[in-house]
């Protein structure tokens, strides 16, 4: 299988960390892709023109990051990152959705600030996205106990979301009013899968 990826995408990082945690990284061929290049053929694999996109050996393509991660999770017989049933499943999916929401809002802010022509910058939109991130982080601070439990897609996505805030918004101190979340991330970020995938500015 072949993963179309870009080096700074936090959604790609979710897949990278998931593959590493499951011991599947070796089974993936990695194809660098710039989703912002209008000449790139990425839309042939993902009509949304977004990374990550996973091209399977039969030519079928999977997207988005959550679907790809769940597919990888289906390829092994160990403890699942997507719990199959019960309260643990809904907790994991809920926090996964919350962390994905942080990423969607943070990426929207970055696009507004760095890709949109500066004369069209829409401050209210930026603030609206920042408020989504703030509320989601506050909810994570209240739910930090759940993050201490066994590894699921929720922890991985929260870890990638916090790493992305550090990477793209280093001046906005999300840790200040959230000591429990900060302490959790301090430990989580030490995992080899996270250390190996720290984003670097191009
Ligand atoms: N919901 C998607 C989001 C993926 C996404 O937004 N990827 C960004 C890079 S971080 C992208 O490819 N953007 C290009 C575009 O929006 O056209 C997922 O989970 O995979």
């Amino acid at each position: 299988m072949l993963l179309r990826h870009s080096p700074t995408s936090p959604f790609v990082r979710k897949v990278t960390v998931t593959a590493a945690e499951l011991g599947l990284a070796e089974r993936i061929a990695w194809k660098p892709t710039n989703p912002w290049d209008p000449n790139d053929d990425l839309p042939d694999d993902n009509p949304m023109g977004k990374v990550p996109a996973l091209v399977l050996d039969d030519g079928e393509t999977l997207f988005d990051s959550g679907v790809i991660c769940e597919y990888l999770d289906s390829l092994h017989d160990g403890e699942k990152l997507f719990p199959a049933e019960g309260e643990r499943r809904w907790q994991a999916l809920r926090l996964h959705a919350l962390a994905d929401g942080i990423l969607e809002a943070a990426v929207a802010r970055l696009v507004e600030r760095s890709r949109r022509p500066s004369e069209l910058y829409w401050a209210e939109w930026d603030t609206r996205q920042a408020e989504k991130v703030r509320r989601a982080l506050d909810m994570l601070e209240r739910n930090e106990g759940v993050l201490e439990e066994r590894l699921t897609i929720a922890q991985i996505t929260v870890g990638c979301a916090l790493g992305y805030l550090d990477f793209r918004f280093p001046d906005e101190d999300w840790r200040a009013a959230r000591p429990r979340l900060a302490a959790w991330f301090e430990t989580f970020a030490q995992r080899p899968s996270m250390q190996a995938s720290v984003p670097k500015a191009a």
Side-chain angles (χ1 to χ4, degrees):
M1 50 195 163
L2 180 146
L3 185 73
R4 303 200 62 159
H5 70 101
S6 68
T8 56
S9 165
F11 295 102
V12 168
R13 192 179 187 197
K14 274 173 66 182
V15 175
T16 309
V17 171
T18 295
E21 291 288 347
L22 297 178
L24 294 170
E26 305 286 301
R27 289 176 56 181
I28 299 174
W30 304 78
K31 181 176 181 183
T33 300
N34 177 1
W36 295 100
D37 178 356
N39 297 316
D40 197 283
D41 65 356
L42 175 62
D44 293 345
D45 288 325
N46 177 1
M48 293 301 116
K50 295 185 180 189
V51 289
L54 184 72
V55 184
L56 302 179
D57 294 343
D58 65 3
E60 190 63 80
T61 305
L62 294 180
F63 44 82
D64 56 10
S65 60
V67 176
I68 296 171
C69 290
E70 190 156 6
Y71 175 74
L72 295 178
D73 203 30
S74 77
L75 300 181
H76 72 100
D77 294 326
E79 287 270 7
K80 296 295 183 184
L81 294 177
F82 290 77
E85 57 192 8
E87 180 60 20
R88 288 195 65 244
R89 175 170 174 78
W90 304 117
Q91 258 180 4
L93 293 188
R94 193 168 70 105
L95 290 190
H96 173 225
L98 189 69
D100 254 5
I102 292 175
L103 287 178
E104 297 284 358
V107 167
R109 292 188 71 197
L110 191 78
V111 169
E112 188 67 27
R113 289 164 169 229
S114 64
R115 296 207 172 265
R116 202 166 157 89
S118 56
E119 66 275 16
L120 297 179
Y121 172 71
W122 186 8
E124 288 81 2
W125 175 254
D126 194 353
T127 302
R128 185 176 170 85
Q129 305 307 317
E131 282 295 291
K132 292 177 196 289
V133 173
R134 182 189 61 75
R135 290 191 299 262
L137 290 173
D138 288 345
M139 182 178 256
L140 286 174
E141 175 74 4
R142 292 194 297 274
N143 281 265
E144 178 270 344
V146 176
L147 297 176
E148 298 290 352
E149 295 170 7
R150 191 175 60 70
L151 186 71
T152 66
I153 192 61
Q155 280 93 332
I156 290 174
T157 309
V158 170
C160 292
L162 298 177
Y164 189 69
L165 296 179
D166 283 346
F167 176 52
R168 292 301 193 193
F169 301 92
D171 299 335
E172 299 181 17
D173 187 6
W174 62 264
R175 289 173 177 79
R178 304 180 187 95
R180 297 192 307 158
L181 189 58
W184 174 82
F185 185 57
E186 186 76 25
T187 303
F188 189 80
Q190 299 309 315
R191 295 179 81 93
S193 62
M194 289 291 288
Q195 290 284 310
S197 60
V198 173
K200 297 174 194 65

